[in-house]
């Protein structure tokens, strides 16, 4: 990897100067994940590496690569989750503002109806409409909650795993004696 920088009119390369410019300032050290120890690589080349040592080295490289990819995915997901939480917070704030402002809408509706009805009857009608709407929403919520089911596959899998751990040689379908 070549990193070049202009400093005092001269081009410096990161490979030539790992600590920065000639005076120690400038380019920072480039972070990297070492795939293997330099001594191990030199020893393997010197000893004309066997298949076993090559497989071991390849496994080490693959393991390091997988760990780096998992860390990258975790970092990216953390950023996206933060964005999602921030967006959800703004939606919650908007919902609270809408709920508080609905009071003024219902007050307006009551005043509008009071043009044709006595004031107490207009506000009574608005109150009954609000109660009916709340009852309707409560009914819809009740129906949704009533449809919630237990995670049967997970429960079954956990029971099977527990049975297998209690009796390691037993057949899966065989009855378990207490």
């Amino acid at each position: 990897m070549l990193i070049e920088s202009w400093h005092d009119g001269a081009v410096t390369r990161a490979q030539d100067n790992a600590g920065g410019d000639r005076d120690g300032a400038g380019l920072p050290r480039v972070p990297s994940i070492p795939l293997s120890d330099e001594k191990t690589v030199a020893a393997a080349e010197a000893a004309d590496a066997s298949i076993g040592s090559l497989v071991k080295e390849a496994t080490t490289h693959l393991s390091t690569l997988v760990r780096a990819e998992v860390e990258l995915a975790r970092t990216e997901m953390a950023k996206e989750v933060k964005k999602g939480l921030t967006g959800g917070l703004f939606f919650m704030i908007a919902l609270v503002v809408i709920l508080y402002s609905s009071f003024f809408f219902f007050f307006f509706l009551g005043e509008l109806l009071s043009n044709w009805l006595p004031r107490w009857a207009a506000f009574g009608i608005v109150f009954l409409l609000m109660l009916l709407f709340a009852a309707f929403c409560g009914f819809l919520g009740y129906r949704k909650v009533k449809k919630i089911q237990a995670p049967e596959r997970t429960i079954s899998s956990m029971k099977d795993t527990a049975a297998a751990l209690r009796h390691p040689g037993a057949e899966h379908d065989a009855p378990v004696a207490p």
Side-chain angles (χ1 to χ4, degrees):
M1 166 185 271
L2 176 65
I3 299 177
E4 297 182 345
S5 169
W6 282 95
H7 185 67
D8 297 331
V11 176
T12 60
R13 296 179 344 147
Q15 289 100 339
D16 296 337
N17 193 2
D21 290 341
R22 288 179 191 90
D23 60 355
L27 292 174
R29 294 187 73 91
V30 178
S32 64
I33 300 173
L35 296 178
S36 62
D37 188 30
E38 291 177 16
K39 294 176 186 176
T40 307
V41 172
E45 290 174 356
D48 195 28
S50 67
I51 297 294
S53 65
L54 291 175
V55 169
K56 179 183 174 191
E57 187 177 335
T59 304
T60 304
H61 292 311
L62 184 62
S63 173
T64 304
L65 178 64
V66 168
R67 276 189 257 126
E69 290 294 330
V70 167
E71 181 65 23
L72 175 64
R74 187 186 66 79
T75 303
E76 287 179 340
M77 289 302 296
K79 288 179 184 178
E80 296 304 313
V81 166
K82 286 180 184 178
K83 288 179 189 176
L85 289 176
T86 304
L89 177 66
F90 284 124
F91 281 126
M92 292 297 290
I93 290 170
L95 180 64
V96 167
V97 170
I98 286 172
L99 289 175
Y100 280 122
S101 64
S102 68
F103 168 79
F104 295 105
F105 171 74
F106 292 119
F107 193 77
F108 160 76
L109 189 60
E111 287 293 330
L112 183 66
L113 288 175
S114 70
N115 288 333
W116 298 284
L117 300 169
R119 189 174 178 135
W120 63 269
F123 281 99
I125 290 172
V126 171
F127 177 70
L128 288 176
L129 289 175
M130 291 173 68
L131 284 180
L132 288 173
F133 181 72
F136 177 70
C137 289
F139 175 70
L140 291 178
Y142 172 75
R143 283 185 41 195
K144 286 291 184 186
V145 169
K146 191 176 174 182
K147 290 181 181 179
I148 294 175
Q149 298 176 354
E152 296 296 331
R153 292 189 328 186
T154 303
I155 292 170
S156 173
S157 174
M158 293 295 283
K159 286 180 181 178
D160 292 344
T161 302
L165 291 175
R166 275 191 225 117
H167 306 287
E171 190 64 32
H172 181 67
D173 294 330
V176 178

